[in-house]
Each structure stands twice: as structure tokens, then as C-alpha cells.
Amino acid sequence: MRVSIIGTGYVGLTTGVCLGFLGHKVTCIDSDQNKIALLRAGKTPIYEPFLTELMAEARPNLSFCGEYAGSLQDAEVVFIAVGTPPSADGSPDLRYLSEAARGIGQHFEGDFLVVVNKSTVPIGSGNWVGSLVRESYEQQHGRKANGHFSVASNPEFLREGTALHDSLFPDRVVIGSDNNRALQVLYSLYRPILDQTFAAPTYLARPEGVGAVPLISTDLASAELIKYAANAFLATKISYINEIGQLAEKVGADISQVAKGIGLDARIGTRFLQAGIGWGGSCFGKDTAALVATAREYSLSMPIVEAAREINRRQRERVVEKLLAELKILKGRTIGLLGLAFKPNTDDLREAPAIDIARKLIERGCKVKVHDPVAMDRFEREYPDLSVVCCESPEEVADEADALALITEWQDYRELDWEVMASRMRSPLVLDGRNALDRARLERFGFRYLGIAG
Ligand code: UGA
């Protein structure tokens, strides 16, 4: 099928590359000409495991374009995968979404186009996008748009760091549409994924037991709400275990054991129960805020989601409080942060706890040293004013440090020679912000070990 994708961020690019790999003819459109130049050269503007490799395999089916003209006139499906960043008041900024909708209306010349919202958009946006597309089509072409367009919602559930795996082997596919023709087009598009009939690349092998993927076919509003409800549930699950972690710490319980003990109940599940400094990233914070804001428009409050947000905010403060309790005086101390990205296997720094924690420590008069295996370049570009010492290795962070705090649980940090790390520090104190390190081993090397919970 002929597919166009507007926006080459995590969602757009991953979708484009996967659909290209499955044999569809895909045009990825982005107004950022630097990104387009990079992509044409076979490079990816984001760090995502195996994306470059899969893009190379899909290359014969992929093209990249810096403008709408010439890139969607005969498409059968167009995905809108542009950013919806939070604006000053917390509500999503829909500027790029409306530009994309207008661009589609202006440039489409075929008979029938399925316009798919893949960006996380406020509930009700499907109808709004439809009216923008039709309006600009009618202005441009001077004829009625009736019957030429159908808007569908197809929310994305991929996680950064495992984006390709999540797209090729999803737990489910959700499609919201009230138009049969549009539904048929999207079934055909996703058929290889729904039936799992494609040959998986060796570096992204199909996990054992993955068979046909469930399809939820529903109305627009339900599909839009599924996205928010899923992210808010996952965020709440993490905040819940972090809340239990605080009690675990008081009563002397081990939160990892508690999480395992409850998670093995199939009704609860073991995933997203890793206690620590909480969630970051561009999704959970933004989507929980948007859900609360939408509910407010209907005079509803969402106390569970609000509490999850508050607990998450407090987890970051606890890092500073714990170091203060242990070191007594923070002014003049050197604190090393291991990890900047909001989670491992990405260089994404949006809403990263490390940034907040570094700021709080600097306010308290600490000297802050930082390292990340992948995100250093991005950090120096995006936070030139944050006065921290950027280090080339974790060992350099340890030099003369009064304490180290593990902020992102990169595998590299688990495998460090912690004996050497201890020998380079002023005092071997480690705060394991992700409960990811081997406490007994670190204590053998003379570390005083602090968990974030339990
Ligand atoms: C999240 C969702 O998991 C995806 O399903 C969704 O598609 C995506 O948002 C989105 O809306 O675009 P992502 O933000 O990439 O994906 O990353 P997650 O793996 O969900 O992690 C989010 C944060 O939660 C990270 O900071 C991670 O460190 C933290 N986390 C995760 C925990 O603190 N504990 C856990 O047990 C799991």
C-alpha cells in the first residue's frame, strides 16, 4: 500500500520503517530539513536500538521528503505522527497537528484517503482533524470533500528503547473508526503484524509464543481514551509501588521482594513494578496531566491519577533528602550522577529525573558531576546552562565524589568495577535510585549503600 507519514520522531519514524520493512511503499515527511538530509543518508536522528539496521533493510520501500507537495497526492493512508508537546498551561500544543491536517487537505488528489491519528491527541481530536482536512481540501480544490477522507485513531504503545520490538510484536492493535472502508484499509495495512506472517529479522527475533495479535476495533473516542488510560495506569502502577516502597523502608521490608511477591499474581503482573526515583519521559507526565485536564472540562476530578503524579514528583525530592540525611551537609559536596536519559537505551532527556535532581543539588550548593553512556552530546546541546561537570567515564564521575547516585539503570553501570569506583571516591557512598545494583557486592567493596525504597 502507499503510505505517507507526517513527522519523523520516535513514533513516525518507527512506524514508517516497520511498514516499509513489511513491504508497503512509505514516504516520511518532516519539515525539519536537517532530519530529512540525515535520513536520506541512511542515518537516524534519534538513538533507538536496531533502527539503523531495519531502516537499511526497508530502504527500497522508503523515501524521505521535506514538504507535502509531491508526497501524499496518491497515498492510501496517511499517518499523523507529529509532536503534541505541552504548552505553558499544560494542555497539548496542537499547532503541528493542525498544520498536518491542513497540509493533507491541500495536497491530496486521489479518491479516498484514511487519515490516521497516531500522535497522542486530546479526546475528540479525531473529529476536529477531520473538519480541518475537509475544510482545506475544499478551499484548495474548490469541490466538496465528502467521501474522500475518513479519520481513524490508531494509538501507539511503543516504548522508547524497544520501539521496533513493540511495533512488530505488539500486545494489541487499537483502531478507532466508524467507517467500514477505512477499517478494511487499516486491516490490510496491518495484516502481516496481526497475523504475524512476516519473517522477523535476526536481530529482532519473534519472541517465543507470539501468535496472532488481538485487534481492538472501536469508535474514535474509545480509541483515544484507551491511549490515555493505558499510560495513566502504567504511571499509577509505578507510583503505587513507590508508595509501598516508602512503607517498606520504614518497616524494614525489601521492596524488590514485595514487588515480585505481588507481581506473580497474574491479575497484577510483574512488569512496571520496579520501584525507584519514578517515571520520566515525554509521555507519562504529559498524558496524566492531559487526562486530568480533560476530566476537569467535564467537572470530574481524577484523584488517583493526581496522586500518582504527586508521588512521582516527591520521589525526585527524596534523592536529595536521602543524601542530606546521610551527608548532613550538602553545601560544598561533590555528587556524581550516573545516567541522564530518562531510562536506559535512549538518549531522550525529556522530563528526565536527572535534570531535576541535578538542579536541586546545585541549589543546595553541591558540585554535580554527570555521565551517560549515550546522552552526553544531547545533554550538552540541550542544557548548556546547567552548571555541572560532564565526565567521559563513570570512573571520572567517581573521582573525589562524596556520593554517587544511580539515576538511569544502564547495563554498563551494573557491570562497573565498583571496587575501582570506591577507591576513587572521597567516601564510598552510593544511592541506588533504581534499586538496580547488587547491594551485597557493593558493601563488600566498602560502600555504604542506600536504596530509594525498601
Ligand atoms: C511509555 C509507555 O510505556 C508506552 O506504552 C507508550 O507508547 C509511550 O509511553 C508513549 O505514550 O509514547 P516510554 O515513555 O517510552 O513509554 O517508556 P517506559 O518504558 O514506559 O518508561 C517510562 C518511565 O517509567 C521511565 O522513566 C522508566 O524509568 C520508568 N519506570 C518504568 C519505572 O520507574 N519503573 C518501572 O517499573 C517501569
Side-chain angles (χ1 to χ4, degrees):
M1 295 178 80
R2 291 180 308 280
V3 182
S4 296
I5 300 194
I6 305 178
T8 60
Y10 280 95
V11 171
L13 189 55
T14 303
T15 306
V17 168
C18 287
L19 291 175
F21 170 73
L22 296 174
H24 299 297
K25 288 283 171 205
V26 180
T27 306
C28 296
I29 308 164
D30 203 298
S31 55
D32 183 335
Q33 304 304 325
N34 294 331
K35 276 191 182 176
I36 294 297
L38 263 180
L39 289 163
R40 282 184 177 152
K43 297 185 184 133
T44 58
I46 49 172
Y47 174 84
E48 182 62 40
F50 306 120
L51 187 55
T52 321
E53 289 87 336
L54 199 70
M55 195 163 96
E57 286 200 50
R59 196 70 184 97
N61 289 331
L62 288 178
S63 56
F64 301 100
C65 202
E67 55 196 12
Y68 295 117
S71 46
L72 45 74
Q73 71 275 19
D74 62 348
E76 292 161 271
V77 183
V78 59
F79 283 93
I80 304 183
V82 295
T84 50
S87 41
D89 67 354
S91 64
D93 179 349
L94 301 179
R95 202 175 349 156
Y96 307 111
L97 186 66
S98 92
E99 269 172 29
R102 287 180 204 284
I104 293 168
Q106 263 169 28
H107 294 279
F108 179 65
E109 288 168 9
D111 172 50
F112 182 66
L113 179 66
V114 185
V115 180
V116 187
N117 260 342
K118 216 166 184 39
S119 305
T120 304
V121 295
I123 298 159
S125 298
N127 295 334
W128 178 66
V129 164
S131 69
L132 290 180
V133 170
R134 285 191 298 273
E135 193 182 283
S136 68
Y137 179 88
E138 289 173 5
Q139 274 170 8
Q140 178 72 23
H141 299 273
R143 57 177 182 267
K144 285 277 171 214
N146 287 352
H148 287 308
F149 299 98
S150 178
V151 177
S153 164
N154 171 218
E156 181 51 63
F157 303 105
L158 64 81
R159 294 159 297 168
E160 290 180 22
T162 51
L164 297 172
H165 173 279
D166 295 348
S167 301
L168 291 174
F169 313 112
D171 290 339
R172 78 299 205 187
V173 170
V174 174
I175 297 177
S177 166
D178 51 13
N179 180 305
N180 247 333
R181 189 168 170 196
L183 281 174
Q184 292 311 321
V185 169
L186 293 177
Y187 294 157
S188 311
L189 187 78
Y190 280 125
R191 183 64 61 209
I193 289 181
L194 293 170
D195 296 346
Q196 289 291 305
T197 44
F198 63 92
T202 45
Y203 47 87
L204 278 166
R206 178 174 286 108
E208 231 164 89
V210 168
V213 171
L215 171 74
I216 308 289
S217 169
T218 182
D219 58 279
L220 268 174
S222 303
E224 289 167 349
L225 183 53
I226 285 171
K227 171 68 191 184
Y228 284 104
N231 270 0
F233 186 88
L234 292 168
T236 304
K237 197 172 177 189
I238 298 168
S239 283
Y240 175 75
I241 200 65
N242 284 335
E243 184 172 89
I244 296 292
Q246 294 185 28
L247 183 61
E249 192 172 293
K250 297 283 182 214
V251 301
D254 177 343
I255 190 62
S256 305
Q257 291 299 311
V258 175
K260 196 168 170 192
I262 63 171
L264 286 172
D265 182 328
R267 292 170 302 175
I268 296 175
T270 48
R271 295 163 76 191
F272 279 70
L273 278 184
Q274 176 70 40
I277 51 183
W279 35 270
S282 65
C283 304
F284 286 173
K286 175 169 75 95
D287 293 353
T288 48
L291 196 58
V292 170
T294 304
R296 205 173 294 133
E297 285 173 26
Y298 294 86
S299 305
L300 273 181
S301 65
M302 296 230 135
I304 294 178
V305 182
E306 290 191 53
R309 288 173 55 77
E310 176 57 18
I311 290 167
N312 197 58
R313 194 188 60 73
R314 270 198 259 140
Q315 286 306 93
R316 298 177 183 195
E317 278 169 8
R318 282 165 56 78
V319 172
V320 180
E321 284 161 14
K322 285 205 147 199
L323 289 172
L324 179 66
E326 193 63 27
L327 294 168
K328 311 297 179 206
I329 289 169
L330 283 178
K331 224 178 181 45
R333 300 283 193 183
T334 300
I335 312 290
L337 303 185
L338 294 175
L340 291 168
F342 82 95
K343 68 174 199 174
N345 295 323
T346 178
D347 64 347
D348 196 337
L349 296 164
R350 286 176 289 176
E351 300 290 321
I355 309 295
D356 245 13
I357 292 167
R359 283 213 176 97
K360 289 185 204 303
L361 290 169
I362 294 166
E363 274 165 25
R364 298 277 195 148
C366 297
K367 172 178 170 185
V368 177
K369 297 170 84 177
V370 301
H371 174 265
D372 190 284
V374 169
M376 288 316 287
D377 287 350
R378 192 154 176 179
F379 174 74
E380 287 178 53
R381 262 197 328 272
E382 291 180 6
Y383 294 93
D385 300 332
L386 198 59
S387 54
V388 297
V389 181
C390 292
C391 299
E392 285 186 1
S393 68
E395 290 77 15
E396 199 183 319
V397 178
D399 281 338
E400 301 295 307
D402 294 290
L404 291 174
L406 179 84
I407 306 294
T408 317
E409 69 279 33
W410 286 96
Q411 191 59 26
D412 304 28
Y413 296 148
R414 295 179 206 253
E415 289 165 3
L416 276 176
D417 186 336
W418 283 96
E419 193 168 12
V420 169
M421 295 290 278
S423 70
R424 297 173 82 139
M425 294 176 68
R426 218 174 264 156
S427 59
L429 169 66
V430 68
L431 191 153
D432 182 357
R434 296 290 180 179
N435 294 315
L437 301 173
D438 181 344
R439 176 180 192 147
R441 195 166 148 254
L442 264 67
E443 285 178 344
R444 269 204 310 282
F445 298 140
F447 269 101
R448 165 111 177 88
Y449 174 98
L450 305 174
I452 193 72

Coordinates of all heavy atoms in Angstrom, one line a residue, residues 292-340:
V292 N -6.2 14.5 33.4 CA -6.8 15.3 34.5 C -7.5 16.6 33.9 O -8.6 16.9 34.3 CB -5.7 15.7 35.5 CG1 -6.2 16.7 36.5 CG2 -5.1 14.5 36.2
A293 N -6.8 17.2 33.0 CA -7.4 18.4 32.4 C -8.7 18.1 31.6 O -9.6 18.9 31.7 CB -6.3 19.1 31.4
T294 N -8.7 17.0 30.9 CA -9.9 16.7 30.1 C -11.0 16.4 31.1 O -12.2 16.9 30.9 CB -9.7 15.4 29.2 OG1 -8.5 15.7 28.4 CG2 -10.9 15.1 28.4
A295 N -10.7 15.7 32.1 CA -11.8 15.3 33.1 C -12.4 16.6 33.7 O -13.6 16.8 33.9 CB -11.2 14.5 34.2
R296 N -11.5 17.6 34.0 CA -11.9 18.8 34.6 C -12.9 19.6 33.6 O -13.9 20.2 34.1 CB -10.7 19.7 34.8 CG -10.9 20.7 35.9 CD -9.7 21.5 36.3 NE -8.7 20.7 36.9 CZ -7.4 20.7 36.6 NH1 -7.0 21.5 35.6 NH2 -6.5 19.9 37.2
E297 N -12.7 19.4 32.3 CA -13.6 20.1 31.4 C -15.1 19.5 31.6 O -16.0 20.1 31.2 CB -13.2 19.8 29.9 CG -12.0 20.6 29.5 CD -11.6 20.2 28.1 OE1 -12.4 19.7 27.3 OE2 -10.4 20.4 27.8
Y298 N -15.1 18.3 32.1 CA -16.4 17.7 32.3 C -16.8 17.7 33.8 O -17.6 16.9 34.3 CB -16.4 16.2 31.8 CG -16.3 16.2 30.3 CD1 -15.0 16.2 29.7 CD2 -17.4 16.1 29.5 CE1 -14.9 16.1 28.3 CE2 -17.2 16.1 28.1 CZ -16.0 16.1 27.5 OH -15.8 16.1 26.2
S299 N -16.2 18.6 34.6 CA -16.4 18.7 36.0 C -16.1 17.5 36.8 O -16.8 17.2 37.8 CB -17.8 19.2 36.3 OG -18.1 20.4 35.6
L300 N -15.1 16.7 36.3 CA -14.7 15.5 37.0 C -13.4 15.7 37.6 O -12.5 16.3 37.0 CB -14.6 14.3 36.0 CG -15.8 13.5 35.7 CD1 -15.4 12.4 34.7 CD2 -16.4 12.9 36.9
S301 N -13.1 15.0 38.8 CA -11.7 15.1 39.3 C -11.2 13.6 39.1 O -11.9 12.7 39.0 CB -11.7 15.5 40.7 OG -12.4 14.6 41.5
M302 N -9.9 13.5 39.1 CA -9.2 12.2 38.9 C -8.2 12.0 40.1 O -7.0 12.1 39.8 CB -8.5 12.2 37.6 CG -9.4 12.3 36.4 SD -9.0 10.9 35.2 CE -10.6 10.4 34.8
P303 N -8.7 11.8 41.3 CA -7.8 11.8 42.4 C -6.7 10.7 42.3 O -5.6 11.0 42.8 CB -8.7 11.6 43.6 CG -10.0 11.1 43.1 CD -10.1 11.6 41.7
I304 N -7.0 9.6 41.7 CA -6.0 8.5 41.7 C -4.8 9.0 40.8 O -3.6 8.9 41.1 CB -6.6 7.2 41.1 CG1 -7.6 6.7 42.1 CG2 -5.5 6.2 40.8 CD1 -8.3 5.4 41.7
V305 N -5.1 9.5 39.6 CA -4.1 10.0 38.7 C -3.3 11.2 39.3 O -2.1 11.2 39.2 CB -4.7 10.3 37.3 CG1 -3.7 10.7 36.3 CG2 -5.5 9.1 36.7
E306 N -4.0 12.0 39.9 CA -3.4 13.2 40.6 C -2.4 12.7 41.6 O -1.3 13.2 41.8 CB -4.4 14.2 41.1 CG -5.1 14.9 40.0 CD -5.9 16.1 40.4 OE1 -5.4 16.9 41.1 OE2 -7.1 16.1 40.1
A307 N -2.8 11.7 42.4 CA -1.9 11.2 43.5 C -0.7 10.6 42.9 O 0.4 10.7 43.4 CB -2.7 10.2 44.3
A308 N -0.9 9.9 41.7 CA 0.3 9.2 41.1 C 1.3 10.3 40.7 O 2.5 10.1 40.8 CB -0.2 8.4 39.9
R309 N 0.8 11.4 40.2 CA 1.7 12.5 39.7 C 2.4 13.1 40.9 O 3.6 13.3 40.9 CB 0.9 13.6 39.0 CG 0.4 13.2 37.7 CD -0.6 14.2 37.1 NE 0.0 15.6 37.0 CZ 0.9 16.0 36.1 NH1 1.3 15.1 35.2 NH2 1.4 17.2 36.1
E310 N 1.7 13.3 42.0 CA 2.3 13.9 43.2 C 3.4 13.0 43.8 O 4.5 13.4 44.2 CB 1.2 14.2 44.2 CG 1.7 14.7 45.6 CD 2.5 16.0 45.5 OE1 2.5 16.7 44.4 OE2 3.2 16.3 46.4
I311 N 3.1 11.7 43.9 CA 4.1 10.7 44.4 C 5.3 10.7 43.5 O 6.5 10.7 44.0 CB 3.5 9.3 44.4 CG1 2.4 9.2 45.5 CG2 4.6 8.2 44.7 CD1 1.6 8.0 45.5
N312 N 5.1 10.8 42.2 CA 6.3 10.8 41.3 C 7.1 12.0 41.5 O 8.4 12.0 41.5 CB 5.8 10.7 39.8 CG 6.9 10.3 38.9 OD1 7.5 9.3 39.0 ND2 7.2 11.2 37.9
R313 N 6.5 13.2 41.7 CA 7.2 14.4 41.9 C 8.1 14.3 43.2 O 9.3 14.7 43.3 CB 6.2 15.6 42.1 CG 6.9 17.0 42.0 CD 5.9 18.0 42.3 NE 5.3 18.0 43.6 CZ 5.9 18.3 44.7 NH1 7.2 18.7 44.7 NH2 5.3 18.1 45.9
R314 N 7.5 13.7 44.2 CA 8.2 13.6 45.5 C 9.4 12.6 45.5 O 10.3 12.8 46.2 CB 7.2 13.1 46.6 CG 6.5 14.3 47.3 CD 5.9 13.9 48.6 NE 4.5 13.7 48.5 CZ 3.8 12.7 49.0 NH1 4.4 11.8 49.8 NH2 2.5 12.7 48.9
Q315 N 9.3 11.6 44.6 CA 10.4 10.6 44.5 C 11.7 11.3 44.2 O 12.8 11.0 44.7 CB 10.1 9.5 43.5 CG 9.1 8.5 43.8 CD 9.4 7.8 45.1 OE1 8.9 8.2 46.2 NE2 10.2 6.8 45.1
R316 N 11.6 12.4 43.4 CA 12.8 13.1 43.0 C 13.4 13.8 44.1 O 14.6 13.9 44.3 CB 12.6 14.0 41.8 CG 12.1 13.2 40.6 CD 11.7 14.1 39.4 NE 11.2 13.3 38.3 CZ 11.1 13.7 37.1 NH1 11.4 14.9 36.7 NH2 10.6 12.8 36.2
E317 N 12.5 14.4 45.0 CA 13.0 15.1 46.1 C 13.6 14.2 47.1 O 14.6 14.6 47.8 CB 11.8 15.8 46.8 CG 11.4 17.1 46.1 CD 10.1 17.7 46.6 OE1 9.5 17.2 47.6 OE2 9.7 18.7 45.9
R318 N 13.1 13.0 47.2 CA 13.7 12.0 48.1 C 15.2 11.7 47.9 O 15.9 11.4 48.8 CB 12.9 10.7 48.1 CG 11.5 10.8 48.8 CD 10.6 9.7 48.5 NE 11.2 8.4 48.8 CZ 11.3 7.8 50.0 NH1 10.8 8.4 51.0 NH2 11.8 6.6 50.1
V319 N 15.6 11.8 46.6 CA 17.0 11.6 46.4 C 17.9 12.6 47.1 O 18.8 12.3 47.8 CB 17.3 11.8 44.8 CG1 18.8 11.7 44.5 CG2 16.6 10.7 44.1
V320 N 17.4 13.9 47.0 CA 18.2 15.0 47.7 C 18.0 14.8 49.2 O 19.0 14.9 50.0 CB 17.6 16.3 47.3 CG1 18.4 17.5 47.9 CG2 17.7 16.5 45.8
E321 N 16.8 14.5 49.7 CA 16.6 14.3 51.2 C 17.5 13.2 51.7 O 18.0 13.3 52.8 CB 15.1 14.0 51.4 CG 14.2 15.2 51.3 CD 12.8 14.8 51.2 OE1 12.4 13.7 51.4 OE2 12.0 15.7 50.8
K322 N 17.6 12.1 51.0 CA 18.4 11.0 51.4 C 19.9 11.3 51.5 O 20.5 10.9 52.5 CB 18.2 9.8 50.5 CG 16.9 9.1 50.7 CD 16.9 7.7 50.3 CE 16.0 6.9 51.1 NZ 16.2 5.4 51.1
L323 N 20.3 12.0 50.5 CA 21.7 12.4 50.5 C 22.0 13.4 51.7 O 23.0 13.3 52.4 CB 22.1 13.0 49.2 CG 22.2 12.1 48.0 CD1 22.4 12.8 46.7 CD2 23.3 11.1 48.2
L324 N 21.0 14.3 51.9 CA 21.2 15.2 53.0 C 21.2 14.5 54.3 O 22.1 14.8 55.2 CB 20.0 16.2 53.0 CG 20.0 17.3 54.1 CD1 21.2 18.2 53.9 CD2 18.7 18.1 54.0
A325 N 20.3 13.6 54.5 CA 20.3 12.8 55.8 C 21.6 12.1 56.0 O 22.1 12.0 57.2 CB 19.1 11.9 55.8
E326 N 22.2 11.6 55.0 CA 23.4 10.8 55.1 C 24.6 11.7 55.3 O 25.5 11.4 56.1 CB 23.5 9.9 53.9 CG 24.5 8.8 54.0 CD 24.2 7.8 55.1 OE1 23.0 7.6 55.4 OE2 25.1 7.2 55.6
L327 N 24.7 12.7 54.4 CA 25.9 13.5 54.4 C 25.9 14.7 55.4 O 26.9 15.4 55.6 CB 26.2 14.1 53.0 CG 26.5 13.0 51.9 CD1 26.5 13.6 50.5 CD2 27.9 12.4 52.2
K328 N 24.7 14.9 55.9 CA 24.4 16.0 56.9 C 24.5 17.4 56.3 O 23.7 18.3 56.4 CB 25.3 16.0 58.1 CG 25.4 14.6 58.8 CD 24.0 14.2 59.3 CE 24.1 12.9 60.0 NZ 22.8 12.2 60.0
I329 N 25.6 17.7 55.6 CA 25.8 19.0 54.9 C 26.0 18.7 53.4 O 26.8 17.9 53.0 CB 27.0 19.8 55.5 CG1 26.6 20.2 56.9 CG2 27.3 21.0 54.6 CD1 27.7 20.7 57.7
L330 N 25.2 19.4 52.6 CA 25.3 19.2 51.1 C 26.2 20.3 50.5 O 26.9 20.0 49.5 CB 24.0 19.2 50.5 CG 23.1 17.9 50.6 CD1 21.8 18.0 49.9 CD2 23.9 16.7 50.0
K331 N 26.2 21.5 51.1 CA 27.0 22.6 50.6 C 28.4 22.2 50.4 O 29.0 21.6 51.4 CB 26.9 23.8 51.5 CG 26.7 25.1 50.8 CD 26.6 26.2 51.9 CE 26.3 27.5 51.2 NZ 25.3 27.6 50.2
G332 N 29.0 22.3 49.2 CA 30.4 22.0 49.1 C 30.7 20.6 48.8 O 31.8 20.2 48.5
R333 N 29.7 19.7 48.8 CA 29.9 18.3 48.5 C 29.9 18.1 47.0 O 29.3 18.8 46.2 CB 28.7 17.4 49.0 CG 28.5 17.5 50.5 CD 29.6 16.7 51.2 NE 29.2 16.6 52.6 CZ 29.9 15.9 53.5 NH1 31.1 15.4 53.2 NH2 29.5 15.8 54.8
T334 N 30.6 17.0 46.6 CA 30.6 16.6 45.2 C 29.8 15.4 45.0 O 30.0 14.3 45.6 CB 32.1 16.3 44.7 OG1 32.9 17.5 44.9 CG2 32.1 15.9 43.2
I335 N 28.7 15.5 44.2 CA 27.8 14.4 44.0 C 27.9 14.0 42.5 O 27.8 14.8 41.6 CB 26.3 14.8 44.3 CG1 26.2 15.5 45.6 CG2 25.4 13.6 44.2 CD1 26.4 14.7 46.9
G336 N 28.0 12.7 42.3 CA 28.1 12.2 40.9 C 26.8 11.5 40.5 O 26.3 10.7 41.2
L337 N 26.3 11.9 39.3 CA 25.1 11.3 38.8 C 25.4 10.3 37.7 O 26.0 10.7 36.7 CB 24.1 12.3 38.3 CG 23.6 13.4 39.3 CD1 22.5 14.3 38.7 CD2 23.1 12.8 40.6
L338 N 25.0 9.1 37.9 CA 25.3 8.1 36.8 C 24.0 7.9 36.0 O 23.0 7.4 36.5 CB 25.7 6.8 37.4 CG 27.0 6.8 38.1 CD1 27.3 5.5 38.8 CD2 28.2 7.1 37.1
G339 N 24.0 8.4 34.8 CA 22.8 8.3 33.9 C 22.1 9.6 33.9 O 21.8 10.3 34.9
L340 N 21.7 10.0 32.6 CA 21.0 11.3 32.4 C 19.7 11.0 31.7 O 18.6 11.6 31.9 CB 21.8 12.3 31.5 CG 23.0 12.9 32.2 CD1 23.9 13.6 31.2 CD2 22.6 13.9 33.3

